[in-house]
Amino acid sequence: MELKNYPKLLVKNREQIECNFIFCLWKDPSLIDDYKNVVNGTDIITEDGMFYYGICQQMIKAGIDVFDNISVETFLSDKEVLKKGFEERTGFRAVKEITELLNIENIDAYYEALTKNNMILNLYNEGFSVEKDWDKIKQMSSEELYDYYDYKLGNVCVGKIEKIKGVDLKHGYGDYIKQWDSGQSIGYKIGFPMLNYNLAGVHKKNLLLHLAHIGNGKTTSAINMYALPAIEEGENVCIIANEQDEDEWRQMTLASVLFNKTDYLKSANKKMNRQKFVFGHFTDEDKEWLSKATEWLDNQIGKLEFISLNDYSIEQVRKIVKKYSKIGYGEFIFDTLKPEQENSDKAWADFSEVAKELFMISKKEDVAIIATAQLSSESMTRRFLDLSCVGKAKAISETASTVVMFRSLTTEEKAKYKAYTFERDSSGKYSKKRNVIDLHEDRDYIVIFVPKNRFGSTKFQIVYERNMSFNTMREIGYIDIAYDGFRKK
C-alpha cells in the first residue's frame, strides 16, 4: 500500500495515526509484544512510519529495552544508511518531543485508529465504495465497520442464501446412498479406535463438548484426541484459546508429538518429560529428538493454526470461524468455553447461550467445533458422569451433538473394576466374548463417559492409561461403572 494510490479523504490523517502508535512503542518498547501482528510495509505504510517502526523492531530484536539517546546512537553507530536517515529526521530530538506529548495509556486507542484505517484502505482495494459511505464510516469503530459491511453483504444476498425451501423426503435417495456408501458421513478422525468407532468421528455442522473437572487435562487430551489425528489425516485445524497463550500451546503440542508420534519413549536414554520443556537446559540428544518432533509436524499435510483471544466474546469467535472456514479449515478447537461475564447474575444463562451460538456457527459455516469446558464442582464425588454433572450450565449440552466427559479412576476402583475388549471370531468380526484386563493400582487411569451421542450409543465407558508427565494416553478397553446418580449427599 502507498498513500498516493488512495483518495486524500481516506489517508488525510494517516501520518498522525501511525506516528501516535509507533512512538508509544518508542516510549515503552515492552508494549511491542502486545502488537506483534503489526507488519511493516503492510500495516505501516508511510515512509517515516516504516522507518521508525523498522528501527523499533530491530532494536527490540537486539535486546534493547529502553530507547534513550545513548542506546539509539549506539545502535545506529555502525548502520550508515539508517543513521543518515535518522539524522535527516532531526535525530533523537524529534523522538523526544513526540514521546513527551504521548500518553502510552492511549495506545489501544491509537492501535484501534490504525486498524480501522487499514480496514478502510483494504475495503477500497477490494472495490467497496468507502468514499460514498465516508460520512457514516468515519464515526465507526473497527468492529462497527466490520459489522456494517458484513450487514451490507448480507442484504445483497438476502433471499438467495437464507431462502426457506422445502425438500421432498419421500424421493431422491439414490445420490445420498452413494455418499453414505463412500463413508462421507464419517467425521474427522479421533485418535483412539474405540472412541472413534463409537462416535463415528467428529462431525461437521456439530458441536462436541469435551468436559472434565478442573486440572484434569482437558486441553492436553484434546490435542491427542482431536488436533493431531486430524492434521495427520490432512485436515486443517484451528485452535481458539482464551486462557493459555502461544508459548504454553507450543509446549503442549510439541510434547504431545514427541511422546506420541516419535519413538522417543522407546529410546534407551529418555530423560525428557513435560516439565523439561519449562526448565530447559536441553542436551544435544534432547535437541535431536525435539527436531524429530518438529519434523513430524512439518510433514503433516493438515495445517494447525493457533489464535489467542485477549478479548473473549462469542462475536470474536464467530468472525474467526467465518474467516478460517473460507480458507479450508474444517475443525475448530475452542479452549475454554465459559460465560462471557463469569461474575454476572446471569452467568450460567449466558454460558448456555454461548454454547448455542457455537452450535449455530458450526452449522452455518459447515465446520466441526470441539469446545472444552469444566464439569461442576458439585460433581467431584460422582463416579458415574452424566449430563447432570454440568451443573447450573446443564443447558450447554442441549445444543451439542456429542458430549464427552472424563475423570480419574480412584485407587479403590482400580482394584474393584476390570477393563475388557471383545475377541474377534474366525471371520474377523468382533464377538461377545471378552478379554479381561487387570488395572494396576500404581498407574493413572481415566474413564470416558459419553452421555450424549447423536451418532451412536451412550451405554459405554472406555478406560485409558494416562501419563501426564509425557502427555500420553493409551486406550485400554471398555469398563462398566455403576450408576450413582441417585445417592444421597
Side-chain angles (χ1 to χ4, degrees):
M1 293 192 290
E2 292 185 30
L3 293 188
K4 65 182 181 181
N5 295 333
Y6 298 98
K8 291 182 179 180
L9 183 69
L10 307 185
V11 293
K12 180 180 178 181
N13 299 316
R14 181 67 191 204
E15 291 183 347
Q16 187 64 50
I17 289 171
E18 290 191 6
C19 175
N20 291 342
F21 174 70
I22 292 167
F23 281 104
C24 273
L25 301 180
W26 274 72
K27 189 168 186 175
D28 185 356
S30 67
L31 292 171
I32 200 168
D33 280 342
D34 295 330
Y35 303 96
K36 289 179 179 179
N37 60 321
V38 177
V39 179
N40 217 7
T42 300
D43 301 308
I44 306 295
I45 58 174
T46 67
E47 185 176 341
D48 286 344
M50 288 189 288
F51 179 81
Y52 283 111
Y53 189 59
I55 290 178
C56 178
Q57 289 179 308
Q58 290 182 50
M59 290 179 68
I60 288 290
K61 191 174 181 180
I64 301 169
D65 52 14
V66 177
F67 290 5
D68 55 24
N69 194 5
I70 300 299
S71 61
V72 175
E73 285 189 5
T74 302
F75 175 75
L76 296 175
S77 61
D78 60 346
K79 301 172 180 62
E80 291 300 323
V81 175
L82 287 179
K83 183 178 180 181
K84 181 180 178 182
F86 193 71
E87 291 171 349
E88 288 175 349
R89 292 171 172 83
T90 68
F92 196 79
R93 178 167 60 85
V95 175
K96 188 172 185 295
E97 289 175 356
I98 297 171
T99 54
E100 285 180 349
L101 293 173
L102 291 171
N103 184 343
I104 59 174
E105 291 183 4
N106 294 326
I107 190 170
D108 284 341
Y110 299 144
Y111 176 68
E112 159 67 18
L114 177 65
T115 300
K116 177 186 171 182
N117 194 245
N118 281 337
M119 288 174 65
I120 290 171
L121 300 186
N122 286 327
L123 286 166
Y124 178 84
N125 290 339
E126 296 298 325
F128 287 87
S129 57
V130 288
E131 289 178 278
K132 181 181 176 182
D133 294 334
W134 182 252
D135 287 339
K136 292 180 181 179
I137 65 177
K138 69 180 181 181
Q139 308 294 335
M140 298 176 183
S141 67
S142 61
E143 288 289 317
E144 290 168 338
L145 181 63
Y146 177 98
D147 291 338
Y148 175 67
Y149 278 95
D150 191 43
Y151 171 77
K152 290 190 76 171
L153 283 172
N155 274 351
V156 170
C157 299
V158 71
K160 297 179 176 63
I161 295 176
E162 299 294 339
K163 188 175 181 180
I164 298 173
K165 182 181 178 181
V167 295
D168 177 9
L169 280 181
K170 186 178 177 182
H171 304 97
Y173 283 92
D175 289 339
Y176 284 92
I177 291 172
K178 291 178 182 177
Q179 291 178 19
W180 300 334
D181 184 44
S182 67
Q184 288 187 21
S185 296
I186 297 175
Y188 294 119
K189 183 180 178 182
I190 296 172
F192 299 95
M194 290 181 182
L195 188 63
N196 189 65
Y197 172 79
N198 283 283
L199 301 186
V202 180
H203 298 263
K204 283 187 174 183
K205 297 183 183 292
N206 285 281
L207 170 65
L208 183 151
L209 294 178
H210 186 74
L211 312 175
H213 295 110
I214 186 170
N216 217 342
K218 294 183 294 294
T219 303
T220 51
S221 59
I223 293 173
N224 283 333
M225 292 172 69
Y226 312 115
L228 297 185
I231 65 168
E232 201 170 2
E233 291 288 305
E235 308 295 347
N236 297 329
V237 178
C238 180
I239 296 165
I240 306 171
N242 55 33
E243 292 185 348
Q244 293 166 298
D245 61 19
E246 176 190 347
D247 184 69
E248 292 172 297
W249 269 91
R250 283 189 179 277
Q251 286 186 0
M252 288 188 293
T253 301
L254 198 62
S256 296
V257 172
L258 176 64
F259 302 130
N260 291 278
K261 301 299 182 180
T262 75
D263 291 328
Y264 179 76
L265 293 180
K266 297 178 183 178
S267 63
N269 192 28
K270 53 181 183 291
K271 296 181 180 178
M272 290 275 290
N273 57 21
R274 279 184 60 185
Q275 287 69 32
K276 189 70 179 290
F277 282 81
V278 178
F279 297 143
H281 301 293
F282 303 132
T283 66
D284 289 341
E285 187 176 357
D286 292 338
K287 292 175 183 177
E288 287 181 17
W289 280 105
L290 291 172
S291 179
K292 290 180 181 180
T294 59
E295 184 179 348
W296 185 92
L297 281 168
D298 290 339
N299 288 335
Q300 303 315 305
I301 300 173
K303 299 175 182 177
L304 187 61
E305 189 83 358
F306 173 81
I307 298 172
S308 178
L309 284 186
N310 295 321
D311 179 22
Y312 168 59
S313 71
I314 195 62
E315 189 57 36
Q316 286 286 84
V317 175
R318 187 198 313 278
K319 290 174 181 177
I320 292 167
V321 174
K322 184 175 181 179
K323 173 183 175 180
Y324 279 86
S325 65
K326 298 294 186 293
I327 55 175
Y329 285 78
E331 182 176 292
F332 293 79
I333 298 176
F334 183 40
D335 184 66
T336 303
L337 176 61
K338 57 185 179 180
E340 290 193 19
Q341 296 180 354
E342 294 180 84
N343 297 321
S344 73
D345 293 336
K346 299 191 300 180
W348 297 110
D350 292 343
F351 196 13
S352 300
E353 285 302 309
V354 170
K356 182 179 178 181
E357 284 293 317
L358 284 177
F359 170 69
M360 295 304 294
I361 294 168
S362 71
K363 193 173 181 180
K364 183 176 181 180
E365 303 302 335
D366 191 24
V367 299
I369 296 181
I370 299 143
T372 66
Q374 188 174 315
L375 291 172
S376 68
S377 57
E378 291 84 1
S379 67
M380 290 285 286
T381 59
R382 287 282 300 276
R383 295 291 173 257
F384 189 100
L385 303 183
D386 58 20
L387 294 180
S388 68
C389 297
V390 186
K392 295 179 182 178
K394 184 179 179 181
I396 70 169
S397 60
E398 292 177 3
T399 54
S401 60
T402 309
V403 180
V404 175
M405 301 176 173
F406 68 92
R407 65 168 179 84
S408 298
L409 282 179
T410 65
T411 302
E412 177 188 359
E413 287 176 308
K414 295 173 195 176
K416 177 181 178 181
Y417 291 111
K418 305 277 188 183
Y420 60 89
T421 59
F422 292 102
E423 288 187 6
R424 294 179 185 270
D425 59 24
S426 57
S427 66
K429 294 181 180 180
Y430 285 107
S431 67
K432 293 183 179 181
K433 188 175 181 181
R434 297 182 176 187
N435 289 317
V436 177
I437 304 162
D438 290 326
L439 302 179
H440 302 271
E441 292 186 20
D442 59 345
R443 297 181 187 177
D444 180 23
Y445 297 98
I446 62 169
V447 57
I448 281 183
F449 298 79
V450 183
K452 186 173 183 181
N453 180 15
R454 288 182 182 162
F455 305 98
S457 173
T458 60
K459 297 180 180 180
F460 65 92
Q461 299 99 46
I462 305 174
V463 65
Y464 296 78
E465 182 182 333
R466 178 179 66 176
N467 189 323
M468 295 189 75
S469 294
F470 297 114
N471 274 16
T472 58
M473 286 173 57
R474 184 169 67 90
E475 203 166 54
I476 301 300
Y478 295 103
I479 193 170
D480 297 323
I481 303 293
Y483 183 72
D484 64 348
F486 297 114
R487 63 180 180 171
K488 294 181 179 180
K489 296 182 179 179

